[in-house]
Amino acid sequence: MAETFNFELVSPEALQVSKPVKMVSVPGSMGEYSVMAGHAPIITELKPGVIRIYADNEVDVTESLFVAGGFAEVTQTRFTVLAGEAIPVSKLDRAALKAESKDLYAKIDTAISDSDRELLQKQWAVLEAKLQAAA
Amino acid sequence: MPSLKDLKNRISSVKSTRKITSAMKMVAGSKLRRAQENAESARPYAERMARVLSSLAMSLPKDLGSVPKLLAGTGKQDNVLLIVVTSDRGLCGAFNSSVVRESRRVIRQLEMDGRHVQILCIGRKGRDLLRQEHGKKIIHTVEDMGRKRLSFEDANIINAKVMALFDAGAIDVCQVVYNRFNSVISQVVTVKQLIPFAIETDSGDGRLEPVVGVEFEPNEKVILESLLPRALAVSMYGVLLESAAGEQGARMTAMDNATRNAGDMIDKLTLNYNRSRQAYITNELIEIISGAEAI
């Protein structure tokens, strides 16, 4: 049995998760990776995607949360994720997301300035990732 | 000498005022509790953000060329953006006027140093009070902030505005004047520098762990560049939360005082009323008696 380590998931408005876990996989900007106890210290940027928490062993996912980007920090003793937004995957509503995505797509088409379009496209990318997570 | 009827009217009007102020006090009290809870739950994120930032700052290469401008500054201090955080509504004691007074002082100081000052008002009151003297410098006002519940999104919106100004080179330095929540009865007016961003390399209590051989993915620079605007938003959020809690605290204290004053006033008026009534009765008796004696 592997050791456990402390995993923390914080969003600006609350401390969402804080408990000992066996393994956590996070969507790093250069690819998804998993962290177990004793991982080398690393700070990474996260892209929108799903965080999977394996609390009891390395096989069963006990919790999965969608994060809209953020940062992950691994130190000798802890693993901290600073998320922009974190929602349990089970609470994502596929139909509502699809409608939202459609609206946003229309908005991108009619966006006037480049900076507006860029912003909307970013939102759209987050939404797409959400949709994928909900599937 | 006011007549009995006048006194009675005044007593009843002060009584209804007292009802209003005591209700407002209670409302402010419950809002204060919520604001404090909000501030409480935002703290972990800010703490961890500061930790990540400081470990980043320590492992950053020392040559200044690679340090983002947000951290190192633009090399100038000519254009200053002053963010004035006040409330939208009054009736909260000296809450707004003290922030505005401090802002005026800061503006005068900066202008004496030959800086160009721009103002971003958060809250209607700040704009109203600054408009006469510094109307031309106010570039934007944000109103109805956190009407229902202050969210991180609100801070993000303001932050996006500030970042846009900074990226366009319109500002070099950004400071914020706000009420820091000290306790329910005391709010401390604070001036805080947001840009260039000040990283605390030592948290003071020595809890900071030495970071050795931390890896960065993709690399320090990219992470720092995307982390800094977010850190800025986090401190903005912190400022807004403090100010929101301070506002409710100030209003609660002000309304408590008003309620007590109204009580004192009612007592005094009632005494006056009773005295006048007694004098009136005595007068009438004297008149009757002396009338009877005359016969």
Side-chain angles (χ1 to χ4, degrees):
Chain A
M1 284 300 278
E3 297 167 54
T4 59
F5 62 102
N6 253 328
F7 172 69
E8 280 173 344
L9 174 64
V10 280
S11 70
E13 278 154 21
L15 180 64
Q16 303 246 359
V17 181
S18 175
K19 61 179 180 191
V21 295
K22 282 273 155 58
M23 184 168 98
V24 179
S25 75
V26 292
S29 62
M30 318 260 301
E32 187 162 328
Y33 67 99
S34 296
V35 172
M36 294 169 78
H39 194 286
I42 185 170
I43 294 178
T44 51
E45 198 181 348
L46 300 182
K47 61 182 182 192
V50 181
I51 291 184
R52 291 189 185 82
I53 302 172
Y54 305 75
D56 310 315
N57 51 46
E58 291 88 44
V59 188
D60 304 318
V61 180
T62 48
E63 230 177 306
S64 47
L65 299 116
F66 174 83
V67 288
F71 301 90
E73 183 205 20
V74 183
T75 66
Q76 270 95 348
T77 48
R78 280 182 313 264
F79 182 28
T80 311
V81 171
L82 301 166
E85 178 191 14
I87 313 160
V89 167
S90 54
K91 284 199 185 136
L92 292 175
D93 180 1
R94 216 178 137 73
L97 285 174
K98 265 217 168 119
E100 209 178 319
S101 162
K102 216 173 184 181
D103 283 355
L104 210 56
Y105 204 75
K107 261 194 214 160
I108 292 174
D109 271 348
T110 55
I112 304 158
S113 72
D114 277 352
S115 59
D116 273 4
R117 190 169 303 132
E118 210 172 292
L119 202 78
L120 288 169
Q121 256 155 4
K122 250 183 214 163
Q123 284 177 13
W124 192 66
V126 172
L127 215 59
E128 275 300 289
K130 240 185 225 180
L131 262 172
Q132 226 162 44
Chain B
M1 186 76 188
S3 74
L4 282 182
K5 177 104 169 114
D6 288 343
L7 277 172
K8 213 168 189 176
N9 282 343
R10 280 210 59 191
I11 291 173
S12 73
S13 97
V14 176
K15 265 187 183 154
S16 58
T17 308
R18 180 173 66 174
K19 253 183 215 154
I20 293 167
T21 58
S22 82
M24 275 183 83
K25 180 195 152 193
M26 245 118 55
V27 170
S30 80
K31 277 189 182 165
L32 171 69
R33 205 164 326 119
R34 215 167 337 140
Q36 271 177 310
E37 274 165 19
N38 264 353
E40 202 66 45
S41 56
R43 206 156 291 150
Y45 191 82
E47 268 170 20
R48 281 160 185 94
M49 179 66 94
R51 211 172 53 202
V52 174
L53 263 178
S54 62
S55 58
L56 258 172
M58 275 191 269
S59 55
L60 211 63
K62 284 288 167 279
D63 64 301
L64 282 170
S66 62
V67 178
K69 278 186 175 161
L70 265 180
L71 196 59
T74 51
K76 292 183 295 180
Q77 296 198 315
D78 298 343
N79 298 304
V80 181
L81 177 72
L82 197 68
I83 304 179
V84 180
V85 187
T86 53
S87 64
D88 275 335
R89 285 145 184 279
L91 287 179
C92 44
F95 180 82
N96 293 318
S97 57
S98 54
V99 164
V100 169
R101 197 180 322 121
E102 179 67 13
S103 312
R104 286 209 181 103
R105 197 190 61 75
V106 172
I107 292 167
R108 212 172 310 126
Q109 182 75 45
L110 286 170
E111 285 187 337
M112 256 164 33
D113 295 346
R115 314 272 179 76
H116 176 245
V117 181
Q118 287 168 306
I119 305 171
L120 172 67
C121 286
I122 299 175
R124 248 192 301 273
K125 285 287 162 188
R127 183 202 55 191
D128 292 350
L129 291 168
L130 282 172
R131 189 155 45 188
Q132 205 153 39
E133 205 179 328
H134 301 290
K136 281 192 187 129
K137 294 173 201 131
I138 299 178
I139 47 170
H140 192 76
T141 310
V142 183
E143 288 176 23
D144 287 333
M145 176 60 74
R147 193 82 181 259
K148 276 185 188 144
R149 185 176 181 281
L150 195 63
S151 74
F152 188 62
E153 211 33 56
D154 296 324
N156 249 339
I157 291 165
I158 296 174
N159 194 44
K161 279 199 184 84
V162 176
M163 287 302 297
L165 281 170
F166 184 79
D167 288 340
I171 52 170
D172 303 312
V173 177
C174 174
Q175 292 181 335
V176 52
V177 186
Y178 71 107
N179 272 301
R180 194 164 54 79
F181 182 83
N182 196 24
S183 73
V184 177
I185 49 163
S186 100
Q187 291 82 36
V188 186
V189 179
T190 313
V191 183
K192 186 172 170 181
Q193 176 135 337
L194 286 183
I195 301 175
F197 198 78
I199 290 183
E200 299 166 38
T201 39
D202 188 17
S203 56
D205 51 359
R207 264 193 317 152
L208 218 63
E209 302 154 37
V211 270
V212 204
V214 180
E215 280 178 56
F216 294 95
E217 190 186 294
N219 60 48
E220 287 99 321
K221 198 162 177 244
V222 173
I223 291 187
L224 201 56
E225 261 162 19
S226 54
L227 193 62
L228 274 174
R230 188 168 277 264
L232 215 61
V234 169
S235 23
M236 194 70 232
Y237 185 49
V239 164
L240 292 178
L241 283 171
E242 292 258 355
S243 175
E247 180 195 342
Q248 299 309 335
R251 178 163 297 130
M252 203 173 124
T253 321
M255 286 304 114
D256 188 41
N257 281 337
T259 308
R260 209 165 316 131
N261 270 345
D264 289 349
M265 210 159 161
I266 289 168
D267 285 350
K268 248 182 232 157
L269 284 171
T270 316
L271 194 69
N272 237 333
Y273 173 76
N274 286 341
R275 222 177 251 157
S276 314
R277 193 188 50 175
Q278 196 55 52
Y280 182 71
I281 292 168
T282 317
N283 242 341
E284 219 161 57
L285 277 176
I286 289 172
E287 267 167 29
I288 293 168
I289 293 166
S290 43
E293 268 175 2
I295 299 168

